[in-house]
Amino acid sequence: DTNATSVSLGATNATSSILSDLNGTTGISVEFWIDFSSVTTAGNLLFIPTTTNSAALSVNATNGAVRIGGRSQDSDSFVSRTGSGFSTSGKTHIVFTIDYSVSGGAFKLYANGVDTALTANAQSFGSTTFNLSTGANPSTLGTGAGATTNLAANFDEVAIYRSVLSQSRVQAHYNAVPEPSTAMMLVLGLLGVVGIRRRRTS
């Protein structure tokens, strides 16, 4: 089933809790499995908003590519990078990290435990920590502001960390978790199970 239906991560207080839990951190990591061959409609997999409903963090998936982006505070410009060349015939373990403590900020994108070298360009963030005000706009899976369509794809094991996972930790996660079977992959809109590990560190 490829119905493209978005999933809200919670009401106002739940979204505020997500943002407040991330506030003040020097880095954030987002982890998930995705079956790129199942992407029938591209769109936002993860969207966490600022108070003005602009993107604080977002992950956009297409067939064989992931677009990641964010900002350190409400007044920053949104900065994004795109990683591509992933297998379109199988399931891929993806980890995106953003390190605000690095001068200018730095993105990393791992595919199946391997750094895709998406860190060549620095970002001009206004803060060395994640300092967004908590807001009333919901965080979502499958859609978000600026998305013209909802994402239709199979994904699993979505997690958000309030730290930057090291390469060795990313590799350990990839090695420890068996590739999900097709039957176990979650179809967005049918089973919106999300693991938010707010205080796990690298």
Side-chain angles (χ1 to χ4, degrees), residues 131-147:
N131 289 316
L132 293 165
S133 300
T134 58
N137 301 309
S139 300
T140 57
L141 291 177
T143 189

Side-chain angles (χ1 to χ4, degrees), residues 1-187:
D1 193 331
T2 55
N3 292 325
T5 305
S6 64
V7 177
S8 174
L9 299 190
T12 299
N13 58 347
T15 294
S16 295
S17 176
I18 292 170
L19 284 175
S20 62
D21 224 24
L22 297 176
N23 269 349
T25 61
T26 58
I28 295 171
S29 303
V30 178
E31 178 181 28
F32 59 95
W33 284 85
I34 184 168
D35 183 352
F36 282 111
S37 64
S38 74
V39 180
T40 57
T41 305
N44 282 333
L45 185 148
L46 170 71
F47 184 86
I48 297 177
T50 68
T51 55
T52 59
N53 208 34
S54 298
L57 289 171
S58 75
V59 178
N60 183 280
T62 62
N63 197 326
V66 173
R67 177 177 174 268
I68 58 179
R71 67 191 84 211
S72 65
Q73 58 187 8
D74 287 339
S75 58
D76 282 351
S77 297
F78 180 77
V79 180
S80 65
R81 295 287 181 268
T82 300
S84 59
F86 308 121
S87 172
T88 58
S89 60
K91 305 167 191 69
T92 305
H93 178 252
I94 296 289
V95 176
F96 152 48
T97 68
I98 183 168
D99 189 348
Y100 301 111
S101 67
V102 175
S103 178
F107 287 132
K108 281 185 179 289
L109 182 66
Y110 300 89
N112 291 336
V114 178
D115 189 345
T116 63
L118 196 65
T119 58
N121 298 315
Q123 291 76 49
S124 297
F125 292 127
S127 174
T128 57
T129 58
F130 188 75
N131 289 316
L132 293 165
S133 300
T134 58
N137 301 309
S139 300
T140 57
L141 291 177
T143 189
T148 56
T149 56
N150 293 341
L151 173 68
N154 294 344
F155 67 92
D156 201 2
E157 299 293 333
V158 179
I160 304 170
Y161 303 86
R162 48 178 289 123
S163 63
V164 175
L165 297 181
S166 65
Q167 183 163 11
S168 60
R169 177 61 62 187
V170 171
Q171 183 69 56
H173 286 196
Y174 171 65
N175 292 338
V177 180
E179 179 181 296
S181 67
T182 301
M184 291 298 292
M185 293 288 283
L186 305 183
V187 179

